[in-house]
Amino acid sequence: MRSISVQEVWKHNLPEDLWIVVDDRVYDLTEFAPQHPGGAGVILRYAGRDATKAYSEVHAPSILGGGLDLSKHIGILDLTTINDDWAKPPPTVSTQVKPDEKPDLDSLISTYDFEDVASRTLNAKTWAFYSSAATDLNTKRENGNAYTKIGLRPRILTNVKDVDTSTTMLGQKMASPIFCAPAAMAKLVHPEGEKAIARGCQVAGIPQCVSTNASFPLREIVDAVDRDKNMPFFFQLYVDKNRSKSEKLLKEVEALGVKAIFVTVDAPVPGKREADERVRADESMTTPMSGATAKNDKKGGALGRIMGAYIDSSLSWSDLPWLRKCTRLPILLKGVQTWMDAKIAMERGIDGIVLSNHGGRSLDTAPPPVLLLLELQKCCPDVFDRMEVFVDGGIMRGTDIFKALCLGAKAVGIGRGFLYALNYGQEGVEKYAEILKDELETTMRMCGVTNLSQVHPGLVNSLAVDHLIPTSQEHSYARWRPKARI
């Protein structure tokens, strides 16, 4: 076996020509690296270098030599040619950043990473506005915790080489069962605000639902994407006390090619979000479609409260015919929180519902949406056959998405998460969606599912939470009623 200098080894440091040294033996790993079970990255890091230390921490000494074809055993390292440059370790995988600095986007590998970075790098008011929730935050916490209490039931020995996450939402094609839920004033995070979210969603192949309280007029958001490529937009409506404003807005929305209207029904008044109240608002802030302007008062500076004064708290079931007259688009109710209201919506001919508690921002101790899926399955399963059902709130993993789909959701909405991703602009939105899609694909494969038409409730175990699901409109045993109107 020939003697090889470090200078010669060093020349073979590319993916298409890759040598490494282990225990003073030189190997050609050009063909092996892409097949490495631990990924090619760690091998590429030591391309043209001595990988003995990193290799020995993971593998037995004989694995490499015995597993490679002899033609890949290049020779023995000439120890007399070792110099100071050769002895230096390769560059570190990641670098330390200061607490208030954003790490490279490439270093973020989960949705929790985006939230962590946002908590450290967004300004105090922006973080307070987006992260806050109603009073003691119980519902915000339980939105996510409820998913962890529902188990999966993996199936084995199914050919899952190819999986397909594509689906449709209200007749619109999407690459994965995720849509960007409406969230106000995204420009607080990034100068391009909802426009950057729209571009990111288009690349990811998922719809965007634009808020009435968006930072830009809807036309500017719609015009921000490539109109020659598919990009479904939905619009979230807060009904204005001045109904003529809502009527005018709905006509404009329909003319811009929006595919459906999501009417928010879980926030007739703003919830008390104490973290947001404690940080004063910038009183120059306005939202173009609602016309709302920030104004601090003695209660504090919560943007949801001080900019939501225009919302009509008198909105009721009797207003649905008026809404139908205002638009020919499908109408969905966003914020359904009981099976009883889901059933009424179905009977009134509503086109779809979003099981949501406003991300825990309206009423604390309201039920988590994934438990509402179980409630509907138990008390009014016909709903799933008569209209499309969606959920939002608490979704952080691909497993969460999979569980929601198994229990009847057509797709899931994500609000805060995409705002945290917007901290990195359009590219952050793209990566956030990609992470969730990758995790969903992994979950599907582990459960023996190759496309979303195969999901069903039998793939989840809800026994740990089944006792929490109501079975009737009434309390399970208390029958008290007040004797007089209070």
Side-chain angles (χ1 to χ4, degrees), residues 152-167 175-178 397-406 436-456 459:
L152 290 170
R153 305 177 71 196
R155 302 303 302 271
I156 62 171
L157 293 178
T158 300
N159 182 351
V160 290
K161 181 177 180 291
D162 299 311
V163 298
D164 181 8
T165 62
S166 65
T167 186
S176 59
I178 302 166
R397 291 289 189 186
T399 49
D400 300 337
I401 299 171
F402 186 80
K403 291 170 186 177
L405 299 181
C406 286
L436 287 173
K437 184 173 183 286
D438 287 348
E439 290 184 2
L440 176 59
E441 288 178 350
T442 298
T443 307
M444 290 169 66
R445 286 188 167 100
M446 295 292 188
C447 292
V449 170
T450 57
N451 68 73
L452 298 181
S453 68
Q454 299 167 357
V455 299
H456 59 87
L459 292 169

Side-chain angles (χ1 to χ4, degrees), residues 124-135 137 269-282 295-308 361:
K125 183 59 181 176
T126 301
W127 174 250
F129 175 49
Y130 289 131
S131 67
S132 61
T135 51
L137 317 186
V269 294
K272 185 185 181 187
R273 307 166 196 167
E274 295 175 356
D276 194 19
E277 292 284 14
R278 290 190 174 99
V279 185
R280 307 294 279 182
D282 177 358
K295 183 69 175 177
N296 296 294
D297 59 25
K298 292 180 180 180
K299 292 183 178 180
L303 290 173
R305 180 178 59 81
I306 63 179
M307 298 190 74
R361 292 161 73 82

Side-chain angles (χ1 to χ4, degrees), residues 92-108 113 116-118 120-121 423-424:
T92 56
V93 175
S94 60
T95 56
Q96 294 287 342
V97 296
K98 295 178 181 178
D100 58 347
E101 290 181 353
K102 286 191 290 187
D104 290 340
L105 179 59
D106 289 343
S107 70
L108 275 56
D113 291 343
D116 175 64
V117 173
R120 294 184 284 106
T121 60
N423 200 12
Y424 287 86

Side-chain angles (χ1 to χ4, degrees), residues 169-184:
M169 177 177 181
L170 302 170
Q172 305 303 310
K173 294 180 179 179
M174 51 205 294
S176 59
I178 302 166
F179 68 95
C180 178

